[in-house]
Every structure is written in structure tokens, then in C-alpha cells.
């Protein structure tokens, strides 16, 4: 499975919601790369991220129509990611950090609920979590953090 396939199943094929999730995913990855300094980020990528945040997302039909439900999910994911970074840098609980660092999963689950109802979100939640968190074990993640310290 890839991002497109996951976004399609989460959104029941809603093109506006798929576009929203694509942009949010891309912007969050650029932000992470800038903070971690583990990948080179081009000026063009940075410019595109800011354009997406200031212009593209605020005009997205799914985002506009569901702002009151989606925005708190995004803010929660941001707070979780910031906390994960603090735990990584300050010697906090890396088991907790492992989960918090990718809490855009909660946004995906919320989008599934908005577009398909609670049962749709419940049925996709394990698949979303596995996709988001399943590419690296907790041990691999912790070893990488400890080596960076």
C-alpha cells in the first residue's frame, strides 16, 4: 500500500479530501526534515510548503467544509509531534515519543470518521496505524535516537 491507496480508502475517494491529506503529509514531512536536519530540503520545497499552508490548504473544499472538526485534529498532531521531539532531545520516554511523532494518523482516522462515519473509522484505524507506524520497530527508532544524542 502507498499513501495514495491509503488516502483513497480513508476518504472513500473524495478528491478534495485526498488532496488535503496529500498536502498535509508533504508539508509535515518538510517541517520534520527541517527540524531533524536529517535530509536536505531545497528552497523550492520550503517555498512550496509555505504556499501550501498559506494558500492551498485554506482553499481546499474538504478543509473549508470540515474546518471545525479537522483543525483540532491537526493541532493535536502538531502538539504530539512537538512533544515527541522534546522527548527525543531531552531524554524523555522514547516509547511514548515513537507513537506521538506520527500522530497525523489521528488526522487520517478523523477524516475517515467525517467522510464515512464511526464504523468506517473503526474499521480503518488498525490499517492506518500499521501503515503509519509499521515501517520501523520501536527498538530501531530508539537506537537511532540514542545514536543521535
Amino acid at each position: 500500500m502507498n499513501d495514495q491507496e491509503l488516502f483513497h480508502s480513508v476518504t472513500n475517494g473524495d478528491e478534495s479530501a485526498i488532496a488535503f491529506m496529500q498536502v498535509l503529509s508533504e508539508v509535515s514531512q518538510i517541517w520534520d526534515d527541517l527540524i531533524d536536519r536529517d535530509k536536505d530540503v531545497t528552497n523550492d520545497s520550503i517555498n512550496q510548503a509555505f504556499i501550501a499552508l498559506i494558500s492551498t490548504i485554506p482553499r481546499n473544499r474538504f478543509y473549508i467544509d470540515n474546518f471545525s472538526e479537522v483543525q483540532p485534529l491537526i493541532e493535536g498532531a502538531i502538539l504530539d509531534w512537538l512533544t515527541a521531539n522534546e522527548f527525543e532531545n531531552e531524554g524523555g520516554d522514547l516509547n511514548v515519543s515513537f507513537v506521538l511523532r506520527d500522530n497525523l494518523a489521528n488526522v487520517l482516522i478523523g477524516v475517515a470518521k467525517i467522510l464515512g462515519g464511526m464504523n468506517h473509522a473503526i474499521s480503518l484505524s488498525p490499517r492506518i496505524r500499521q501503515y503509519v507506524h509499521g515501517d520501523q520497530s520501536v527498538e530501531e527508532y530508539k537506537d537511532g535516537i540514542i545514536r543521535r544524542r
Side-chain angles (χ1 to χ4, degrees), residues 111-148:
V111 169
K113 180 182 167 283
I114 291 166
L115 293 173
M118 183 62 84
N119 287 335
H120 180 62
I122 290 169
S123 71
L124 286 176
S125 183
R127 190 164 133 197
I128 291 168
R129 294 284 180 191
Q130 182 62 45
Y131 182 80
V132 170
H133 299 292
D135 66 337
Q136 182 181 42
S137 73
V138 176
E139 291 76 23
E140 291 170 327
Y141 165 74
K142 289 164 64 171
D143 288 345
I145 297 301
I146 291 167
R147 277 193 303 262
R148 270 193 353 222

Side-chain angles (χ1 to χ4, degrees), residues 73-88:
L73 296 171
I74 293 169
E75 291 170 355
I78 291 169
L79 292 168
D80 287 346
W81 179 75
L82 291 170
T83 300
N85 285 336
E86 184 173 329
F87 283 2
E88 289 176 3

Side-chain angles (χ1 to χ4, degrees), residues 1-2 16 22 35 38 40 44 48 57 63 66 70-71 74 83 93 102 106 109 116 123 126 132 136 148:
M1 176 183 350
N2 60 34
S16 180
Q22 285 175 310
I35 295 299
D38 59 347
D40 288 333
D44 184 55
Q48 291 304 313
I57 289 177
Y63 181 74
N66 298 285
V70 173
Q71 191 61 29
I74 293 169
T83 300
D93 187 332
D102 284 326
N106 280 341
I109 294 166
S123 71
V132 170
Q136 182 181 42
R148 270 193 353 222

Side-chain angles (χ1 to χ4, degrees), residues 40-53:
D40 288 333
V41 181
T42 66
N43 286 347
D44 184 55
S45 294
I46 296 167
N47 288 333
Q48 291 304 313
F50 276 87
I51 290 167
L53 290 170

